[in-house]
Amino acid sequence: MNFDTRMVPSVQKALHNHIIVAKHDDNIVGYVYSNISPKEAYDNEFATFFDLSTVNGKNVGCLSQFYIKEAYRQYGIGSTLFDRSMEWLKQFEDIHDYFIFVSNGNHNALEFYKRKGFTVSHEILDGFITVLRSSRRENQRYE
Ligand SMILES: CC(C)(COP(=O)(O)OP(=O)(O)OC[C@H]1O[C@@H](n2cnc3c(N)ncnc32)[C@H](O)[C@@H]1OP(=O)(O)O)[C@@H](O)C(=O)NCCC(=O)NCCS
């Protein structure tokens, strides 16, 4: 997966895209990318990311990419970017379901998202990716 195979198609398929960068002086030290996409975007030749019938409505929200430079972790920057992303996603009142996809072995990120209120739904691609989800109601603390 690289910029051309992951980022570009994701941005193109999405209805709305949102990127926040964190800067230290003029240096970018992290970013988070979220989007609103038709749920059909998650059922493709690569994988079925979730059972589309479990989603209320046509579109879903996704916190799609998230990275803080190692030296800047554990200072609350990730939590701030996460909260701002959820605030952005929550603006779309017709969206009821939010997803995050975590690679196998990324225990740190998995626990981070669980502490933020997401729950493990299931695994896909032979356990290579863990699907986390949350619903609008579960996320009321972000309203
Ligand atoms: C996951 C990731 C984005 C979290 O970013 P972060 O900036 O370290 O996140 P935070 O500092 O807000 O929170 C991490 C932990 O640091 C600690 N922490 C937060 N603020 C702190 C502070 N002021 N002082 C000391 N510790 C603090 C807490 O233990 C916190 O856990 P919590 O959720 O219980 O509060 C980051 O680890 C990362 O980029 N990982 C590599 C890429 C990755 O895995 N991305 C996810 C792909 S799905």
Side-chain angles (χ1 to χ4, degrees):
M1 296 292 261
N2 58 37
F3 182 78
D4 287 322
T5 60
R6 185 169 176 200
M7 189 72 175
V8 173
S10 187
V11 168
Q12 285 174 340
K13 278 183 205 151
L15 303 166
H16 305 279
N17 293 287
H18 186 68
I19 296 175
I20 311 172
V21 296
K23 287 169 109 181
H24 182 197
D25 297 330
D26 284 337
N27 299 316
I28 293 177
V29 298
Y31 79 106
V32 60
Y33 163 54
S34 314
N35 62 38
I36 301 287
S37 303
K39 62 184 175 185
E40 283 76 18
Y42 294 96
D43 186 7
N44 55 39
E45 64 287 347
F46 179 61
T48 298
F49 286 82
F50 51 83
D51 178 355
L52 301 193
S53 70
T54 64
V55 166
N56 296 315
K58 289 193 215 165
N59 307 319
V60 297
C62 180
L63 194 146
S64 178
Q65 294 179 35
F66 198 9
Y67 188 84
I68 306 292
K69 262 184 151 175
E70 216 162 323
Y72 290 85
R73 292 178 196 165
Q74 307 280 315
Y75 291 111
I77 299 171
S79 295
T80 299
L81 296 195
F82 176 90
D83 288 349
R84 291 198 184 168
S85 299
M86 292 311 301
E87 278 166 25
W88 180 77
L89 288 168
K90 295 286 289 183
Q91 289 174 19
F92 300 90
E93 291 183 359
D94 58 326
I95 306 298
H96 300 277
D97 299 275
Y98 311 101
F99 287 89
I100 305 176
F101 307 105
V102 179
S103 299
N104 181 22
N106 195 347
H107 180 77
N108 180 50
L110 194 69
E111 293 305 313
F112 176 88
Y113 296 131
K114 280 159 77 176
R115 286 193 295 271
K116 304 295 183 197
F118 275 74
T119 52
V120 171
S121 168
H122 59 283
E123 293 183 340
I124 56 169
L125 299 170
D126 293 331
F128 185 63
I129 288 175
T130 300
V131 178
L132 291 163
R133 69 188 287 175
S134 166
S135 69
R136 174 168 280 275
R137 210 180 324 145
E138 284 161 357
N139 255 306
Q140 263 168 352
R141 66 200 181 100
Y142 297 110
E143 286 179 339

